Amino acid sequence: MYLEGKLMSRQNLEQFKKLVLRKTDLQEQLKQAANEQEFIQLIVNLGQEKGYDFTDEEVAISLQEQRQALENMTFGERTIRNLRAEWQPRVGGLRAVIWGGGDRL
C-alpha cells in the first residue's frame, strides 16, 4: 500500500508539471520564489490548490533528478536547449518552467 501511495504521489507530481507547462499563470507564480525552498513550497501549495497530492520531499527529489539529467546532457544537447531558451520567447512559444529552479525553455 505504501509503494502504491508513493507511485500515486509521483504521478500527481508529473501531472502537475504538465499543467504548469500549459498554464502561464502558474509559471508566473513559480517565478516569484526567492530560493529553492520557497520554490518547492510553492509547488506543493499550488499543486494542492489544483487537487494534486505530493510532498516537498518528492518535489526536492524531482529537482535533483532534473539537475542530474541536465548535468548528464552532452554539449550538443545543452547547446540546443540554450538556443531554444533564447529563441522560443521571440517566436511566441510557450515559456515553460522546468523543475530546475525556474529554468525556462
Side-chain angles (χ1 to χ4, degrees), residues 13 16 19-20 26 29-30 33 36-59 99:
L13 181 55
F16 182 68
L19 179 66
V20 170
L26 292 175
Q29 289 178 48
L30 289 171
E36 184 170 311
Q37 189 56 41
E38 192 174 313
F39 185 73
I40 290 169
Q41 196 58 55
L42 263 173
I43 291 169
V44 172
N45 293 343
L46 290 171
Q48 287 175 347
E49 287 176 16
K50 301 294 182 185
Y52 296 97
D53 185 33
F54 44 80
T55 67
D56 56 346
E57 181 181 357
E58 290 164 325
V59 174
W99 295 150

Side-chain angles (χ1 to χ4, degrees), residues 22-83:
R22 294 190 319 265
K23 300 288 188 175
T24 56
D25 62 320
L26 292 175
Q27 294 170 29
E28 291 301 319
Q29 289 178 48
L30 289 171
K31 287 180 195 178
Q32 303 307 311
N35 56 52
E36 184 170 311
Q37 189 56 41
E38 192 174 313
F39 185 73
I40 290 169
Q41 196 58 55
L42 263 173
I43 291 169
V44 172
N45 293 343
L46 290 171
Q48 287 175 347
E49 287 176 16
K50 301 294 182 185
Y52 296 97
D53 185 33
F54 44 80
T55 67
D56 56 346
E57 181 181 357
E58 290 164 325
V59 174
I61 290 169
S62 181
L63 283 168
Q64 182 61 33
E65 289 171 351
Q66 180 67 30
R67 278 190 210 98
Q68 288 175 338
L70 291 173
E71 289 172 7
N72 292 334
M73 282 183 174
T74 65
F75 175 75
E77 290 170 327
R78 283 192 302 270
T79 302
I80 289 169
R81 186 173 187 273
N82 289 339
L83 286 173

